[in-house]
Amino acid sequence: MNAPSAPASALSQDVLARLAEVIESRRGGDPDASYVARLFHKGTDAILKKVGEEATETVMAAKDGDAQKIVYEVADLWFHSMVALAQFGLKPSDVLAELQRREGLSGLEEFAARRAREREESGT
């Protein structure tokens, strides 16, 4: 008999946290031996370029309507986004906390609140 599985959210957080640890551990690694170390070595522009490429590939996969390809490309996008987070000293838990903060808010309410904050910050 199989043990009961953890709730999906806990499982997701665990996977993301473990992956974030691996990414961080590669930061000072040998760029010739590690793809992630190579990205960090190339710097922010290279990391962000990869995020953009993966976002484009995700859109193209979605337009093709191939579910397996969409999942594959979103996984690449999430991975490279996590490298970008690490570049700026952030963790997946920071994103999860923001998503939790937004939980229960209507998208329209969130957009209106964001616009109001931007107006306050710009002084207009």
Side-chain angles (χ1 to χ4, degrees):
M1 191 167 152
N2 292 340
S5 61
S9 63
L11 210 61
S12 302
Q13 290 176 30
D14 290 347
V15 169
L16 293 174
R18 285 193 310 271
L19 181 55
E21 288 175 12
V22 170
I23 289 169
E24 192 58 42
S25 76
R26 306 278 167 85
R27 180 184 290 279
D30 180 359
D32 293 328
S34 165
Y35 172 72
V36 173
R38 186 177 313 143
L39 281 174
F40 281 128
H41 181 74
K42 288 181 177 181
T44 302
D45 286 348
I47 294 168
L48 297 179
K49 181 178 178 185
K50 282 304 296 181
V51 171
E53 288 173 8
E54 298 305 338
T56 299
E57 290 173 8
T58 298
V59 169
M60 292 182 337
K63 288 185 75 62
D64 290 344
D66 181 337
Q68 186 174 1
K69 193 173 178 185
I70 294 167
V71 168
Y72 181 88
E73 295 301 343
V74 168
D76 280 351
L77 176 58
W78 284 15
F79 174 81
H80 288 89
S81 294
M82 289 179 64
V83 173
L85 287 171
Q87 179 72 358
F88 293 99
L90 299 167
K91 297 184 181 306
S93 59
D94 297 315
V95 177
L96 293 172
E98 175 60 15
L99 289 172
Q100 186 174 23
R101 182 191 70 78
R102 295 180 187 186
E103 190 173 13
L105 287 178
S106 109
L108 295 175
E109 289 171 352
E110 172 63 22
F111 181 72
R114 190 177 321 141
R115 300 254 340 226
R117 277 192 307 272
E118 289 169 359
R119 280 193 301 273
E120 287 175 14
E121 290 171 2
S122 70
T124 58

